[in-house]
Structure formats: C-alpha cells, structure tokens
Amino acid sequence: MQSIADLRAVCAALLHTQETFPFDMTTLVFKVGGPGWAKMYALTNVNADPVTVSLKVRPERGDELRTAHGAISPGYHLNKRHWVTVTLDGRVPDALIRELVTDSHALVVKGLTRVQRAELGS
C-alpha cells in the first residue's frame, strides 16, 4: 500500500467512514460518526511523497510499533502517546497497515458515547 487510492479503499471498507478536508485542501481526514459529531481516525496529506498516514493507537501498541518499524513514528502534530504516523513506502507490510487502520477506526468507535454508537447501529 503506497498510494492515497490504496488508503481510501481500505478506509472506505470500514462502516460509517466519511472523507473530509476540515483543515485545508490537502489534509484528507477520515472520520467515523454522524453529522455534527464524527471523530477522526486517520489523516493524510494528499500531496505528500511518500504518502504518510496518521492513525490512532493504544499507547503501548504505539511504543511497540515505533520500536519495531523505522517507517512508524510518533503522530505528526498529534498526541504522540495516542497517534502514530506510518510512511507508506513499502517498509511496513500492507497487512499491518490495514490492521492499523481498522484498529484506529475501532478505537474511535469504542470511544463514542452510547448514544452515538446507537445512532451508528454499533
């Protein structure tokens, strides 16, 4: 997985995903949720070369990932304990990237209120 198209395909397969550009026209943010309360689970710069994606992680998992993979660093401009940035240049296996995207989505859904999860049907 090395392109924005690959990343979009993985995110689009996850329930209730929205693509937005809330900050500017180059920062693509993937959110899960309903109108007015969607929460971010992944973000990328559509012009970056190589492509990177920032994803939410459990703090202990983030430490483990950063130690094991040179292409995974603390979340760029995000809470370094809860976010990692993955460089999509072939150094991180595609299966692991898909797992990290899916886990990020799940962490955000888990953090929603009971009412919000009910609204999503989760």
Side-chain angles (χ1 to χ4, degrees):
M1 176 181 315
Q2 296 185 25
S3 72
I4 296 293
D6 294 338
L7 179 61
R8 278 184 152 141
V10 171
C11 292
L14 299 173
L15 291 177
H16 310 291
T17 289
Q18 303 170 24
E19 285 190 23
T20 65
F21 288 89
F23 306 118
D24 54 43
M25 293 312 297
T26 61
T27 306
L28 173 58
V29 176
F30 296 93
K31 296 180 177 184
V32 60
W37 58 265
K39 305 291 183 190
M40 176 175 70
Y41 72 89
L43 69 153
T44 186
N45 181 326
V46 296
N47 294 330
D49 184 22
V51 174
T52 62
V53 61
S54 294
L55 301 162
K56 190 166 182 122
V57 294
R58 292 181 332 275
E60 62 278 3
R61 179 75 167 137
D63 291 340
E64 171 190 317
L65 290 164
R66 288 186 289 271
T67 300
H69 300 279
I72 300 179
S73 58
Y76 182 69
H77 287 302
L78 297 162
N79 183 319
K80 310 284 188 243
R81 281 196 75 220
H82 297 278
W83 290 84
V84 294
T85 297
V86 182
T87 301
L88 305 182
D89 61 1
R91 293 183 289 163
V92 178
D94 287 358
L96 178 56
I97 296 168
R98 282 197 257 339
E99 175 188 322
L100 293 173
V101 171
T102 301
D103 288 352
S104 181
H105 180 275
L107 276 172
V108 171
V109 169
K110 183 179 177 183
L112 297 174
T113 67
R114 187 176 326 131
V115 171
Q116 290 169 332
R117 284 193 308 275
E119 190 174 318
L120 292 178
S122 300

